[in-house]
Amino acid sequence: MSITLVKRRVIPGFGLTIGFTLLYMGLVFLIPVGAFLLYTTTMSWEAFWSAVTQRQVVASYKLSFGGSLIAASINLVFGTLVAWVLVRYRFPGKRFVDALVDLPFALPTAVAGIALVTLYASTGWVGQYLDIFGIRVAYTQLGVVLALTYIGLPFVVRTVQPVLEDLETELEEASASLGADRLTTIRHVIFPALFPALLTGYALAFARALGEYGSVVFISGNLPFRTEITPLLIVAKAEQYDYHGAAAIGTVMLVAAFLMLLIINGLQWWASRRHG
Amino acid sequence: MHPPHSASPWQFSKLTAAILIGGAVLAGGLSTPVQAQSANVELLNVSYDPTREFYREYNDLFNTFWQAEHDQSVIVRQSHGGSGSQGRSIVDGIDADVATLALAYDIDALHDRADLIPADWQARLPNNSSPYTSAIVLLVRDGNPKNIQGWDDLVRDDVEVITPNPKTSGGARWNFLALWGYGLEKFDGDEEKTYDFVRQVYENVPVLDSGARGATNTFVQRRLGDVFIAWENEAILSLEQLGRGEFELVVPSLSILAEPPVTVVDANVDRKGTREVAETYLEHLYSDEAQHLAAKHYYRPSNPDILSQYSEDFPDVELFTVNDVFGGWREAQQRFFNDGGVFDDILEEINTQ
Amino acid sequence: MITPSTVIDTNDTIAKRWRRATEEPVWIRITLITIALTFLTLFLVLPLTVVLYGAFEHGIGVWYAAVSDPDALSAIRLTLLIVAIVVPLNTLFGVAAAWSIAKFEFRGKSILISLIDMPFAISPVVVGLIFVILFGSQGWLGPWLSSNDMRIIFAVPGIVIVIAFGTLPFIARELIPLMQQQGKEEEEASLTLGANGWKTFWYVTLPNIKWGLIYGIILCNARAMGEFGAVAVVSGRIRGETNTMPLHIEVLYNEYMFTAAFAVSSLLTGLALVTIAIKSAVEWNDERRQRIAAA
């Protein structure tokens, strides 16, 4: 007992760092969020329930959650592919492409929204060709998914990439020398190693998409029941002085996001135990 | 990606120091505020979307006027956005000296929600405190390919209508009321038929932008929709400046007189000691030079003599007021636009068919 | 590259077999690269091109006029000021959080990590709403603030706090996995050899995490400059005063000044591209040094 205690205390600074961590988080974000939740509790349960289950609100959940789910799935597939290509293959302009992946982080969401709608509206560079096939992107649910995919893109790439880089090729070689074909190696060696990173990237892309506002408002039609995302509805409620309604819907979003992250962290912990 | 051990810590610390110092110098150097001279006075005008160009010029004009009498210059800061959200900002504490919003209800809220102004604010200045007015008109594409002549054509299946969301946009609420008022006239006051008529129009709306400016961009830049219900000033601006020869104005037989009102925010001007200049700022909107300026920006001057000088610019249209048909903005808002109101019913019906 | 070879060499065939086992055939590689590049072109290159094209469509003079407009300059100034406050604070936080999480075991760690992720997931709009409800004049602290003549929302402090909130996880997220992966043996060795905690951090930990840290700072900086939704709710959009660059871009867009809107956007984009380029160059340089050292 005393030995483990001593060993654990070799590294100093726990009190200082955890103290600062909690203080800063507390001031910037935990206390305000707590106060916000407290504010919601000043509503009666019936008022809260009716605010968060209005038909228009429920329709917006469907779009926000569904759209984020689709967007995160697209990012999971293509993000992993991009990470794989960037780590494993050589091709001209690779460094440029690698740097470019961060663009959705760097470009302000409002600019992204304006750029995307300029491209994909039926007058845009891409939209006019899609229009020939009768595909409308701007002002439809497809546009919402497009914007959400765009902003979530770096998350999967940037979480998978370092893990892939650190992955020892010896393992793959060993697997191959034991007679496994490439697909088997990918399934049994590479995939399990990537699994926690994939989950994290997916969760982050999903969570980020769920709350996105700036880029979506420009490209979605903002039509209640059809192309109205939940964050927009929150703004609309607040602008009609319905702070309680806005706070109630905001609370639902908060709780959903937090549950998501908690589940994913649990999964990651489980995965690292199983494969680590 | 993360090479261990290779770099000396000093290199790193120098880099950090350089970043931090650089940032601090930049911030410090650039953020030194330009101190307003004591001879200056500042006003904050919180306004709605389409008044940007007008107030930009009016502020210069007013500054010249005030300087001549007081030996003091006035710096007017502007904030623009959707009328509803701008009203919300004032209620939540933005330091506005004057509010110049799209409709009276958004200013009523300053009294109802926060007691910033007296209840009778609208009687303080002439013409319901509206120094300029506008009308709601229709804008169509060049050559009027869908042959839209008036409100009746908006319910046709082959017509797509662009109008912003009445929940957030002031202009959209005027649009809705114009439509409703026309329906009442057409169906001899039959509310049910009017409701159906308005509902059919909203069935043809593919996008509900949150503000008037967003809707203009949708129609003009993205070329979505066949007809755009708009403020007259926005419609003429689009005609004159955004796309010459690309659009045509269609004047409906009957429309609503849109009265965007102005007020001093009493609680703020009294605290800041700016009442005199703020009141003069608004009163001067009724001066001849300001009325001409309003006309130049396609607002109808409230001074009938000056309006008549611009009769060629403004189409002749029969106009009704919100007070005549709906009993004022408080009632219209309550009935049509609040949660559970007529507009919500219409949306719900459209989307659950 | 695998080249068909008729030379029968034991070493070579083994190497070939291994390579085949850890690499895909050429056609698969080319297909995958093509798919990835097409995807990135549609999502990244084209939007970037639209912004730059829009910015310079009418020539450099128009671009310069747009970015040197007084309102644009004041938006740039405000954005830089905010970044200069927010980024150092979040850096300190990120290092502290990563240190405590990576080097120590304690109860509730998983919850703490989830909590750090939270600001990612909270809608910017909700962030704005939270501070309006707290500090707005109808809010809980509003009356007290205004009686003491203090302003939080519709002023710089409010913008700073919502941006700090929104960008809080970036540096911590970058450092936590990195430091967890590196373990604590090196620090323990240093401490056993008699160095104190600060020295150990400065000479052992920091060089190890330096790239992750720089990368995190760059991301944090870029996000802080680009934050829109939350700032839109609390800024009040006072021209020349509380308009940050993204808000100014929206203002210009709504004034139908598209070229100017894209011009200011191009500044943010250009800045982001430059920082990303520097990061790549430094990394490349470092890799080369290592290769030389290894050879």
Side-chain angles (χ1 to χ4, degrees), chain A residues 194-253:
Chain A
L194 288 187
F195 186 65
L198 287 173
L199 270 185
T200 313
Y202 184 81
L204 289 174
F206 176 81
R208 181 83 177 74
L210 201 56
E212 177 57 18
Y213 172 76
S215 60
V216 180
V217 287
F218 287 98
I219 199 170
S220 104
N222 304 335
L223 209 58
F225 294 96
R226 272 185 252 167
T227 52
E228 185 177 51
I229 53 165
T230 311
L232 184 79
L233 195 61
I234 293 174
V235 173
K237 293 262 179 214
E239 283 177 2
Q240 296 169 73
Y241 303 98
D242 184 6
Y243 294 111
H244 275 109
I249 303 169
T251 304
V252 170
M253 299 284 283

Side-chain angles (χ1 to χ4, degrees), chain A:
Chain A
M1 183 64 197
S2 65
I3 291 168
T4 54
L5 196 72
V6 169
K7 212 179 160 195
R8 189 175 294 168
R9 287 293 148 96
V10 167
I11 296 180
F14 180 65
L16 181 72
T17 53
I18 194 86
F20 179 75
T21 301
L22 293 179
L23 177 77
Y24 187 70
M25 276 174 75
L27 284 180
V28 172
F29 131 70
L30 292 178
I31 294 173
V33 170
F36 175 75
L37 293 177
L38 211 62
Y39 178 82
T40 317
T41 60
T42 59
M43 299 175 77
S44 73
W45 173 248
E46 289 75 26
F48 176 84
W49 188 248
S50 81
V52 301
T53 55
Q54 273 177 18
R55 298 171 59 121
Q56 191 182 345
V57 181
V58 172
S60 83
Y61 297 148
K62 281 184 192 155
L63 178 63
S64 270
F65 281 85
S68 303
L69 220 57
I70 297 171
S73 306
I74 295 173
N75 275 326
L76 186 68
V77 174
F78 287 96
T80 310
L81 180 69
V82 169
W84 178 266
V85 164
L86 284 177
V87 173
R88 290 298 173 96
Y89 303 153
R90 289 156 159 272
F91 54 92
K94 179 168 142 172
R95 208 161 267 285
F96 172 73
V97 173
D98 189 13
L100 212 59
V101 170
D102 287 326
L103 197 68
F105 275 144
L107 209 60
T109 52
V111 178
I114 294 172
L116 287 174
V117 77
T118 308
L119 275 175
Y120 290 93
S122 49
T123 50
W125 293 352
V126 180
Q128 54 181 316
Y129 300 109
L130 295 174
D131 212 37
I132 298 171
F133 302 103
I135 303 171
R136 265 193 176 186
V137 179
Y139 310 115
T140 65
Q141 299 190 341
L142 203 58
V144 176
V145 172
L146 181 85
L148 296 182
T149 308
Y150 173 85
I151 54 126
L153 177 71
F155 286 98
V156 175
V157 181
R158 290 296 184 234
T159 43
V160 171
Q161 202 177 9
V163 182
L164 211 51
E165 270 167 359
D166 286 349
L167 206 64
E168 311 278 344
T169 38
E170 283 84 356
L171 275 178
E172 291 169 52
E173 285 162 11
S175 158
S177 68
L178 290 172
D181 62 22
R182 191 70 186 132
L183 220 61
T184 317
T185 306
I186 288 176
R187 209 167 61 214
H188 291 288
V189 178
I190 299 177
F191 180 71
L194 288 187
F195 186 65
L198 287 173
L199 270 185
T200 313
Y202 184 81
L204 289 174
F206 176 81
R208 181 83 177 74
L210 201 56
E212 177 57 18
Y213 172 76
S215 60
V216 180
V217 287
F218 287 98
I219 199 170
S220 104
N222 304 335
L223 209 58
F225 294 96
R226 272 185 252 167
T227 52
E228 185 177 51
I229 53 165
T230 311
L232 184 79
L233 195 61
I234 293 174
V235 173
K237 293 262 179 214
E239 283 177 2
Q240 296 169 73
Y241 303 98
D242 184 6
Y243 294 111
H244 275 109
I249 303 169
T251 304
V252 170
M253 299 284 283
L254 262 176
V255 170
F258 188 64
L259 281 181
M260 265 279 312
L261 291 174
L262 213 57
I263 290 170
I264 294 301
N265 272 303
L267 277 173
Q268 263 187 298
W269 175 81
W270 164 82
S272 68
R273 288 210 114 189
R274 191 161 153 243
H275 301 287

Side-chain angles (χ1 to χ4, degrees), chain B residues 167-199:
Chain B
K167 292 276 187 174
T168 46
S169 156
R173 275 175 273 177
W174 288 113
N175 294 353
F176 183 98
L177 293 185
L179 205 53
W180 193 277
Y182 172 78
L184 286 179
E185 173 84 10
K186 177 180 160 105
F187 300 110
D188 270 340
D190 187 326
E191 299 269 345
E192 242 172 79
K193 283 183 182 161
T194 303
Y195 174 92
D196 274 338
F197 174 75
V198 175
R199 194 205 69 220

Side-chain angles (χ1 to χ4, degrees), chain B residues 2-3 5 7 9-10 13 30 52 56 77-79 91-94 113 213 216-217 221-222 234, chain C residues 77 132 137-138 151 154 178 186 202-203 210-211 236-237 239 241 253-256 258 286 290:
Chain B
H2 311 296
H5 318 303
W10 292 113
S13 65
L30 289 166
R52 294 163 195 267
R56 194 195 291 271
R77 297 168 301 154
Q78 289 289 143
S79 167
V91 167
D92 277 332
I94 200 171
R113 308 268 171 187
R213 280 285 155 112
T216 313
N217 273 332
Q221 291 291 317
R222 310 289 158 231
E234 281 287 281
Chain C
R77 219 176 285 139
V132 167
S137 46
Q138 307 300 302
R151 325 212 114 251
F154 307 123
L178 188 61
E186 288 181 39
W202 200 249
Y203 289 98
K210 136 178 110 161
W211 296 119
R237 294 161 207 254
R239 188 188 280 273
E241 196 165 314
Y253 184 74
N254 279 336
E255 286 175 4
Y256 312 126
F258 303 108
D286 202 74
Q290 266 188 298

